[in-house]
Amino acid sequence: MKIGSIKEKNKEGQFIKSKIKYGLKPVKVNSSLVERDEQETTVLIQASSNDIGSTAEDNVTERLIETLINLDNPGYEPDKRGVSTMAIVGSIILLIIIVLIFNSIIL
C-alpha cells in the first residue's frame, strides 16, 4: 500500500519525512513514533502545506491514518490523491477559462 513517497527516515530518531499528494499538490508529512511503555507506542503525524483552510493537510492526515489502520486488510485500496480525477480536470479547465476571460478584459 503506497499513498506517498518517503523523503527521509531515521530509525534512531524514530521519524519519517514524506510527501503525500492532495490532488496535484504535494503535502509534507512528518511522522514520529513515541514509545510510551513496552506495549504502547504513539504515532505523531504533522502535515503541512501552504493551503488556506488546512484542507490538504486534513485530507492527507485522514488518508494516512486510514491506510495505517488497514495495513492488515488485503482488500483495502488506499485513495492516492484524496480528490477525484474529474475534480482535478474540472479545476484546471475552470482556471484556464478564468485566465482567458481575465486576459480578454485586460487587452
Side-chain angles (χ1 to χ4, degrees):
M1 275 182 235
K2 182 176 179 180
I3 62 170
S5 60
I6 295 174
K7 300 300 176 190
E8 180 183 349
K9 57 184 170 183
N10 182 321
K11 288 184 180 183
E12 292 170 7
Q14 298 179 321
F15 71 84
I16 299 171
K17 292 185 178 186
S18 59
K19 284 192 179 178
I20 299 173
K21 289 197 177 214
Y22 174 69
L24 299 174
K25 177 188 202 73
V27 177
K28 293 179 184 178
V29 179
N30 296 324
S31 306
S32 16
L33 303 171
V34 179
E35 188 174 0
R36 299 294 178 196
D37 60 44
E38 196 173 300
Q39 298 293 319
E40 185 178 325
T41 300
T42 301
V43 179
L44 302 171
I45 300 171
Q46 177 190 19
S48 63
S49 72
N50 57 359
D51 182 36
I52 296 174
S54 305
T55 304
E57 292 95 334
D58 293 345
N59 180 281
V60 164
T61 302
E62 285 178 26
R63 287 188 293 132
L64 179 56
I65 291 169
E66 182 179 299
T67 302
L68 291 171
I69 289 170
N70 285 286
L71 283 176
D72 293 335
N73 181 354
Y76 175 74
E77 185 65 34
D79 181 2
K80 296 187 192 258
R81 294 237 180 244
V83 178
S84 73
T85 304
M86 289 304 295
I88 294 171
V89 171
S91 297
I92 292 171
I93 291 171
L94 182 61
L95 179 63
I96 291 170
I97 291 170
I98 290 170
V99 168
L100 291 174
I101 290 172
F102 185 72
N103 222 4
S104 66
I105 291 172
I106 290 178
L107 299 174

